[in-house]
Amino acid sequence: DQAFKCNNTVVCYNQQGGVSLYHPGYMRNCLVMGNSGQSGVIIWETCTNALISGCTIVSNSYPSSYGGGLVIRSTNIAMISSCVICSNTSASASYPDIYDLREPLNSNAVAYCCLGKRPASFKGPGIIEGNPRFLDFAGGNYRLAVNSPCINKGFNENWMTNALDLDGKARIRNGTVDMGAYERPLRTGSTLSVH
């Protein structure tokens, strides 16, 4: 059916870009990191329906164009939701993380995502701009720290019920899904304070 289906996958360190979506399909719970040469993810004109959900797209580099993390070239995108797209680089300081080649046609395509730098063309709900506060960015640990603004800020979708995150843990752990490929574990146990 030529449908693209990518679940719980790591795409990293490719020198010709990360993922190219030419056909309808989806990416769920994926980590796209450290790719160069083209964007981490490109949604091409021929892709008539795409869902990118619960993914972390980070540290990709597109030195000759815009949108080191993600580029939308299609006018028929469905949704980019509950993702973290940050710390990518491109030739444009204005669009290092995400770029819509067809703006403003896809203005509502991005929702409930954390964007390192948010282009004004994206008007969807629940967008956070800034640092997602990873557990150890320098060490390549892109799980969310306890003080991350992305915790419980995603959008619950039907497929997430009983689904697993990239660590193989429950996709929704505290009522609302976290942004990115990893759910932050609930704190358990006791806290002891000694004076």
Side-chain angles (χ1 to χ4, degrees):
D1 60 6
Q2 294 185 316
F4 182 86
K5 300 178 180 82
C6 187
N7 286 302
N8 298 67
T9 301
V10 177
V11 179
C12 61
Y13 305 121
N14 295 294
Q15 295 179 357
Q16 298 298 318
V19 178
S20 289
L21 298 174
Y22 291 97
H23 302 287
Y26 60 78
M27 292 176 62
R28 297 173 178 163
N29 301 326
C30 294
L31 172 63
V32 181
M33 58 159 285
N35 300 288
S36 60
Q38 285 191 11
S39 298
V41 178
I42 298 179
I43 302 169
W44 294 96
E45 293 90 334
T46 55
C47 184
T48 56
N49 191 0
L51 173 64
I52 299 175
S53 182
C55 294
T56 300
I57 302 170
V58 63
S59 297
N60 300 284
S61 175
Y62 196 179
S64 62
S65 192
Y66 302 155
L70 190 146
V71 172
I72 303 170
R73 298 179 64 96
S74 174
T75 58
N76 300 299
I77 183 145
M79 181 60 69
I80 299 165
S81 175
S82 304
C83 293
V84 175
I85 306 170
C86 71
S87 299
N88 300 283
T89 59
S90 74
S92 169
S94 298
Y95 302 99
D97 293 307
I98 184 168
Y99 180 65
D100 179 9
L101 188 69
R102 308 292 182 215
E103 69 176 39
L105 294 177
N106 296 306
S107 63
N108 290 314
V110 178
Y112 302 96
C113 290
C114 179
L115 306 178
K117 187 160 185 172
R118 174 185 183 170
S121 61
F122 292 114
K123 312 282 187 192
I127 296 175
I128 298 170
E129 181 179 7
N131 186 350
R133 297 192 189 111
F134 292 126
L135 205 55
D136 182 9
F137 175 78
N141 185 343
Y142 303 117
R143 292 165 185 84
L144 301 175
V146 68
N147 63 342
S148 171
C150 303
I151 295 171
N152 297 329
K153 297 296 183 183
F155 180 76
N156 292 357
E157 300 171 41
N158 290 338
W159 70 265
M160 295 174 176
T161 304
N162 301 319
L164 303 177
D165 72 0
L166 194 53
D167 276 336
K169 308 293 184 188
R171 179 69 263 203
I172 300 174
R173 295 190 199 175
N174 195 25
T176 304
V177 71
D178 296 342
M179 295 175 179
Y182 304 99
E183 282 290 301
R184 175 77 191 169
L186 297 174
R187 292 185 187 187
T188 57
S190 302
T191 302
L192 178 64
S193 178
V194 178
H195 295 278

